[in-house]
Amino acid sequence: MTNSWAEIGASYATVLMDHDDHFIKGGLTVKYLMAGVNGYINGNDLSVAFIKNNANPDQSQYLSTGTLRTSASYDYQNGNDPKFDGSSAGVGLDLGFTYEYRTNCHTCIGNRYKFKVATSVTDIGKINYKNIVENTYNLAGNVSQADIDNAENIFEFFDTHYTKVSSKTGVKANLPTAVHTNFDWNIDNKFYLNLSTDWSLVYAKK
């Protein structure tokens, strides 16, 4: 799967609390997303058996069953090149907060915090690909090695050798939404211990 886009955004951040020992700041970014290239291949109940022809390798056979979905955000069937699509767009959001437990040393050089905890959620949102075409094929049948070698591209190969059972236009694609956390402990003066983690919030099949 591939998913690309262009974005432009505006950010705002501010100090939410500034007491002697406790300091909190937060910020957010709102982004306008313009669709780029989106494409994927997804199989269901796929099974493929290979029968080798030692005498004539080009006639080796692939026997298959199952269904396969293919999708592309540009008109590959008419030879069009991938490009950004101004008519397909979306809105994204980044959000984050940082908490610091600070010492009372106002004359200290460098960071004042004893430890810092930060968390953020990035790339919240979806892109509506209005012109994307998704095709589903029944892969019951067989093809030869020569059929594969002679195909101009993978989409032409499926259209030529398998039965298209459905087709639809328009797909909403999730951004790679993720949670990021960070813990930073100032052990002593210039020595720190840091732990960072990242979790995806998007279900793998989406």
Side-chain angles (χ1 to χ4, degrees):
M1 176 180 177
T2 179
N3 187 23
S4 62
W5 66 93
E7 64 182 39
I8 184 172
S11 299
Y12 175 79
T14 187
V15 174
L16 302 174
M17 178 188 294
D18 188 4
H19 294 169
D20 288 339
D21 295 335
H22 306 287
F23 179 84
I24 300 175
K25 58 185 176 181
L28 62 87
T29 298
V30 179
K31 303 180 289 188
Y32 169 78
L33 313 169
M34 184 171 66
V37 177
N38 182 289
Y40 53 88
I41 297 178
N42 186 304
N44 187 40
D45 295 328
L46 286 178
S47 176
V48 181
F50 174 64
I51 302 175
K52 186 176 181 179
N53 187 325
N54 291 314
N56 188 353
D58 283 346
Q59 296 306 311
S60 297
Q61 298 290 308
Y62 295 84
L63 283 68
S64 58
T65 60
T67 59
L68 196 74
R69 291 186 302 166
T70 69
S71 179
S73 58
Y74 58 97
D75 190 2
Y76 61 87
Q77 292 175 321
N78 292 318
N80 291 346
D81 293 328
K83 61 182 180 180
F84 285 95
D85 182 8
S87 66
S88 298
V91 176
L93 181 69
D94 300 335
L95 179 67
F97 297 92
T98 298
Y99 167 77
E100 297 179 4
Y101 176 73
R102 293 183 163 184
T103 67
N104 291 320
C105 180
H106 294 282
T107 60
C108 292
I109 299 175
N111 293 320
R112 288 179 52 199
Y113 63 83
K114 185 63 179 176
F115 67 83
K116 177 175 68 174
V117 179
T119 184
S120 64
V121 184
T122 57
D123 290 322
I124 304 169
K126 296 181 179 181
I127 300 176
N128 183 16
Y129 286 88
K130 295 182 179 180
N131 298 318
I132 199 170
V133 177
E134 179 187 273
N135 296 317
T136 302
Y137 298 91
N138 182 351
L139 296 192
N142 65 287
V143 295
S144 69
Q145 184 64 51
D147 293 331
I148 296 174
D149 293 339
N150 294 331
E152 292 185 6
N153 59 65
I154 192 170
F155 303 109
E156 182 267 343
F157 174 78
F158 289 130
D159 285 335
T160 301
H161 297 285
Y162 299 108
T163 302
K164 186 187 296 184
V165 295
S166 67
S167 182
K168 72 175 183 177
T169 301
V171 171
K172 290 184 177 180
N174 291 285
L175 295 184
T177 310
V179 173
H180 315 275
T181 62
N182 178 270
F183 176 81
D184 200 29
W185 174 29
N186 185 350
I187 300 174
D188 180 32
N189 196 11
K190 296 182 179 181
F191 293 94
Y192 293 82
L193 179 66
N194 184 278
L195 173 66
S196 297
T197 59
D198 303 279
W199 291 286
S200 172
L201 294 183
V202 179
Y203 182 48
K205 293 185 177 181
K206 295 293 184 180

